[in-house]
Amino acid sequence: MTNHWIDFKNSDCFLIMGSNAAENHPISMKWVLRAKDRGAKVISVDPRFTRTSAVADFWTGLRSGTDIAFLGGMINYILSNGKFFKDYVVNYTNAPFIVNEKFSFNDGLFSGWDPKTKKYDKSTWTITKNSKGLPEKDETLQHPRCVLQLMKKHYSRYTPEKVSEITGTPVDNLLKVYETYAETGQKDKSGNIMYALGWTHHSVGVQNIRSSAIVQLLLGNIGIAGGGINALRGQPNVQGSTDGCLLWDLLPGYLKIGKASLQTLAEYNKYFTPKTSNPMSANWYSNYPKYSVSLLKSYFGDHATKENDFGYAWLPKVDDDKTYSWMDIFDEMYNGKIKGLFLVSQNPSGSSPNATKTNRAMAKLDWMVVANIFDNESASFWHGPGMDPKKIKTEVFLLPAAYSVEKEGSLTNSGRWVQWRYKATEPPGMAVSDGDIVVRILSRIKDLYGKDGGKYPEPILNIKWDYTDDKGAFDTHKMAKAQNGYFLKDIEVNGQKFKKGDLVPSFAFLQDDGSTSSGNWLYCGSYTNGGNMMTRRGKEDPTGLGLYPNWTWCWPVNRRIIYNRASVDISGNPWNPGRALLKWDGKKWVGDVPDGPWPPMADKKAGKLPFIMKPDGVASIFGPAMVEGPFPEHYEPFEGPLTKNPMSSQLNNPAVKVFYSDLDKYAHNDPKFPIICTTYTITEHWCSGSMTRWLPWLLEAQPEAFVEMSEELAKELGIKKGDRVKVSSKRGEVEMVAVVTPRFHPFKVANKTVHQVGMPFSFGWLIPKSKKDSTANLLTPNVGDPNTMAPEYKAFMVNVKKA
Amino acid sequence: MSEGFSIMVDTSRCTGCRGCQIACKQWNELPATQTKNVGSYQNPQDLSAVTWKLVRFDDGKNEKGQPYWYFFTDQCRHCLSPGCMSASENGEIKQDEKTGAVLFTPKTRDLNFKATLEGCPYNIPRQDPKTKQLFKCTMCFDRITNNEIPACVKTCPVSAMVFGPRDKIVEMAKKRAEELKKTYPKAAALNADDVRVIYVVKDDPKKYYEFAAGK
């Protein structure tokens, strides 16, 4: 999140889209309803009327997979009705910048498309620079090739009628949402966009979110109290695990994984360190080498020296044009190329697309280690429905893990607050914490490499591995301090003197010469000589905005709302004095921890632009980093009900990543699979239900798999409430209970009526025991967003019939 | 008796998360029953000797054709003049003077269950088929007499339930109903002067549950 949970109380309007906050993030509604008590409007946009819609002021449906069309219509509305926040847009975004004259967009494709490689040559997706290397711009926003005018032209095609034809949302409802939300473009109004997996689980997932970023920037809603793009993260610590490099393309703190083409540290740092010619741009990522070198020092300690590139060669590298995502892993496994697998608190048999392929892939492993608090469908895949244990050679080890209250450590919530938690009780039996599991395994591996040698032993032997206490148990404090980082010699930085062994007070002190370490630069400042900041429980709220600066600690540098320099005008006066997040008092900033200490940008000598992480210092409405285009464009889901995209000749995301094994089959406008399906979770169960289905009270409340459908569809199919039905896709079939409800409705799309159904993916076969697997993911496809490789769980095609 | 405690249940805030239903079972150590999905989110299907708090789910379409989904976290109303007590002659059902909680004692096994149930306008009492004892919500009597609020109120993430001194809660519920009336003309604080558990609704109570406002 750019903002944080408590800040929701400061919003004037919520657009909850791609999220069912009330069901999946119940606590969020505490703050949404506080704002509503004050008169804030709550809008819920969702294919079905949910528990979130039930407490919203206004709900409207849209067909799954058409969010870009819906938001493109909003961008069009904002621009053609002059509803955007001009001072913000001109000064704080790249809207006035002039785009390369060779950049173009034609019938669904941007310039540079190569149909053979299915990739874009992005060389025309650039901003024109003047002789000083600064972006050419037109602050009147009239230049026909400025970002704003190109964007206006692009989205002029998204008329309410055209959007309605795609989304199935009535024009009146579209306009009502657009009008209500665009009101937040006034400088004293704040709008909050809440999203979750309903936006990411699409072949256009990242562009869904980019669309919302454009809306928020046009309305001046980024960096302000009550604003923001707020990703409601799914698990208590999923933010923390992402910060710690859960994803394959990252190192901790969102540093990039090395590539095969970047063989030296110098090449690596040069490639990932952005440059700017603008003296007013802080370009914070110019510090990249300080963070990468400090990370290497944290990993390899004294073994990392300037002479050996601080051990850069010992880090794994990825092939330049290859992806290594979750779906890739299971595809490679299915193809017999992966022999062993560690699954730590995961249940891919319930949560990965195409469960048949997932289970057959695991059957090709030599061994699999599962660390979990319960058995689950993955650990037991070898004796699941359709599996013959005699024919499966995979050896499975189930390691009993401690539950979150049985271990001490930090959890990072969606608002980036890193909160320390204590052990409430000892884990039962032989269960130990994940930290202990990792420490013990790597210690043994190190011993074995030391004793017996092996291929390329250096990364294993040289890793600094001193995270245990004097009894040999995992010491979470040692790990947390290493994550923060140390000074490795006596040194003076920024006029302050530090001793070897001191903890680094903030990432502004990290160095690229090997004199500091930090396991995650973003967490630098979380555990200092002053103590463990994550344990703080101060309830002071000096701004009255609910920032609670002394409650735990949040990254970066305890800044509660990021991009907060955009909450003030160019002279540093808050856009909304009634909700002043920051103010420049002439000498310093007052309020939240500012995005850097420099004066506001009206000070032409020392001032800095507000978006300090961007080389140009402004937010990117024109976003060339995306794989499929600098402006979001509507493409149909990979499996969809239409043969033609009403917007262009390009049916699907041109850069979509699709897998093609014998088990990966797809239905394109196939009359056998005429119904759109989406999957989700429910309040009562946690994701695949592998934890919650063991709890009798929760199972009592939601006992079995179900599919929700409209009364209209049920009538057509002769299905009644409570009937057992079979839902099938090109990949599998599941039997479940029909929930027939007015909360789903058919959509009128491109002159035809299409039906949609939905189901939670929270059920399986292990608990409660069943001969049939009822996971919704038997149906879903291995289709990925090309930027993130998030699977398209939210829009695919099925058939439904009475069982 | 009009002192003691009350609970306001503001159904217009409720998100149907069922935290209250589970918290009730947890605090009172009530076992889960075997259920199946009968085509709705509601489960168990009804109150029972081991389910004293149940979120009832009701969806439909309003006059404008828009869907609605109402959540009604059903429980004993702890009436000021409890109808269930009319069948109780030997102290089987007690009304605690200090708190106002209506309590079923183990002696309820001697009561005529049908008569007791008929005496309740809200269809609350349930009988254990084995022991014949009657059960229902106790207002978390063991908690509220130890300076704790009821488990359901404590767990509610959106403050849809508020527990406190009766006069304050009645005032709060009536005020909330008045506020809601501006947008929802049918809003009401149900039977606020007769019950301790006061439901604030924004629509016809029968759309929430047949006995929401009493028989």
Side-chain angles (χ1 to χ4, degrees), chain A residues 29-30 33 37 48-49 51 54-55 59 684 696-697 700-704 706 708 721-722 737-739 741 743, chain B residues 13-18 22 25-26 30 32-33 35-39 41 43-44 59-61 67 69 71 157-158:
Chain A
M29 296 313 282
K30 172 179 180 157
L33 292 178
D37 288 343
R48 97 197 133 116
F49 189 96
R51 286 183 250 192
V55 290
W59 164 81
E684 296 79 3
W697 295 319
E700 178 188 43
Q702 283 288 12
E704 58 184 317
F706 61 90
E708 296 185 87
K721 171 185 167 182
V737 176
V739 171
T741 172
R743 297 177 294 99
Chain B
R13 293 184 90 82
C14 177
T15 57
C17 78
R18 297 199 266 203
I22 309 295
K25 291 229 163 189
Q26 185 179 31
L30 300 171
T33 53
T35 55
K36 60 177 202 167
N37 190 317
V38 298
Y41 277 44
N43 248 325
D59 58 14
K61 277 187 185 165
W69 201 5
F71 318 117
V158 292

Side-chain angles (χ1 to χ4, degrees), chain A residues 1-16 28 30-43 57 180-181 183-184 186 188-194 216 221-222 224-230 232 544-546 561 576 578-579:
Chain A
M1 282 188 196
T2 55
N3 294 46
H4 61 94
W5 295 110
I6 296 175
D7 179 63
F8 287 18
K9 71 175 185 166
N10 297 315
S11 299
D12 294 313
C13 189
F14 296 87
L15 177 60
I16 308 180
S28 67
K30 172 179 180 157
W31 305 105
V32 171
L33 292 178
R34 290 245 182 126
K36 199 176 175 216
D37 288 343
R38 252 192 28 249
K41 291 273 174 283
V42 182
I43 303 166
D57 293 286
T180 309
Y181 197 72
E183 283 298 301
T184 67
Q186 297 171 58
D188 59 348
K189 291 276 186 260
S190 57
N192 177 333
I193 293 185
M194 293 162 66
Q216 289 296 66
N221 280 331
I222 297 291
I224 66 168
I229 295 175
N230 295 305
L232 313 186
L545 293 171
I561 295 178
N576 179 1
R579 276 195 292 256

